Amino acid sequence: MSYQRRTVPTEPIVPRRVTADPNTGQLLYTPAEAAVILRVTHSWLRKRAAKRLIPCTFLGRLLRFSPADLAAIAEHGHRPAQPAAPRRRRTPPRRTST
């Protein structure tokens, strides 16, 4: 019995503009290196990358982050300052006369 290999039509790969980090000259970072730069755990990065919640690059099964990916992750996490909510005063329980 002969097997035929099925070919699945795929979209053409469009190259993304990835530039090297001007400080280190590094093109892609491992999850451990990216975690040190972002000051998060590598498991946090891996979980979110697996769910496709953060920008990343997969080279086969290898997970990598470009400097642009790291900048986008940091920008996505940015929250503007907001005034503090007013604090509620705790009032003592009312005394009932017996």
Side-chain angles (χ1 to χ4, degrees):
M1 176 177 358
S2 66
Y3 292 98
Q4 285 186 329
R5 185 175 186 181
R6 293 184 181 183
T7 57
V8 178
T10 60
E11 299 176 11
I13 298 175
V14 179
R16 216 173 29 150
R17 186 173 186 90
V18 178
T19 58
D21 187 354
N23 298 326
T24 63
Q26 197 162 0
L27 186 62
L28 295 173
Y29 295 98
T30 65
E33 294 168 335
V36 170
I37 293 169
L38 294 173
R39 296 184 179 182
V40 298
T41 61
H42 70 278
S43 62
W44 184 90
L45 282 174
R46 286 185 177 279
K47 287 176 186 175
R48 278 157 182 78
K51 293 178 183 177
R52 306 302 195 265
L53 297 175
I54 57 174
C56 61
T57 302
F58 282 98
L59 300 173
R61 290 181 5 186
L62 300 175
L63 175 62
R64 297 293 182 257
F65 297 92
S66 70
D69 293 338
L70 299 181
I73 294 168
E75 182 63 30
H76 179 71
H78 174 73
R79 301 288 184 260
Q82 295 179 349
R87 295 175 70 177
R88 295 180 61 185
R89 293 182 67 186
R90 183 174 175 198
T91 58
R94 294 185 182 176
R95 292 186 185 189
T96 57
S97 59
T98 54

